[in-house]
Amino acid sequence: MMGNLTLFLVQWGLTSLSLWVASYIFSGLRFADGGSLLIAALMLGFANAIVKPLLVLFTLPLTVVTMGLFLLVINALVLMLVSALVSGFTISSFWTAFFASIFISLFSLFVSGLVF
């Protein structure tokens, strides 16, 4: 069984890998260097743990009305927030963030399934 620190580092690595692969697939998602990629992955993990649940709670009626599809918008907004906070990480548009966040989620889910 993995310890908490090991689990955290593995998850951080998987998020970094997902962001790195997404940067090759989506031309509007760029990292200046490896450091900005690692910081963005760390910040994305924190944002998904802290900011995203609050956004989901505040937009619950809209999420229910759209049968959960608004969660895709929330994922894109969280990714855009991280790009605004991390220098060296840029996203060209909302739609790039939208489709990249879907890809990142699916890729992370797939790779996590292989690792865990």
Side-chain angles (χ1 to χ4, degrees):
M1 189 124 210
M2 286 194 229
N4 288 340
L5 180 60
T6 304
L7 185 61
F8 169 78
L9 293 173
V10 168
Q11 193 62 45
W12 185 19
L14 292 176
T15 303
S16 299
L17 176 65
S18 299
L19 285 170
W20 180 71
V21 171
S23 72
Y24 281 94
I25 293 174
F26 298 95
S27 61
L29 191 144
R30 298 197 185 270
F31 295 96
D33 53 28
S36 60
L37 171 66
L38 291 174
I39 293 169
L42 184 64
M43 292 293 291
L44 185 59
F46 286 135
N48 279 332
I50 298 167
V51 176
K52 185 178 174 183
L54 293 172
L55 288 174
V56 170
L57 181 64
F58 292 140
T59 61
L60 193 57
L62 185 57
T63 302
V64 170
V65 168
T66 62
M67 295 181 286
L69 290 176
F70 193 72
L71 293 173
L72 298 173
V73 173
I74 290 173
N75 285 342
L77 293 174
V78 168
L79 191 59
M80 291 180 77
L81 172 67
V82 171
S83 75
L85 295 174
V86 177
S87 67
F89 175 33
T90 57
I91 298 177
S92 62
S93 69
F94 170 79
W95 292 110
T96 299
F98 183 82
F99 292 114
S101 68
I102 293 170
F103 172 81
I104 291 165
S105 297
L106 292 175
F107 187 82
S108 294
L109 181 66
F110 175 74
V111 174
S112 293
L114 293 176
V115 171
F116 299 108

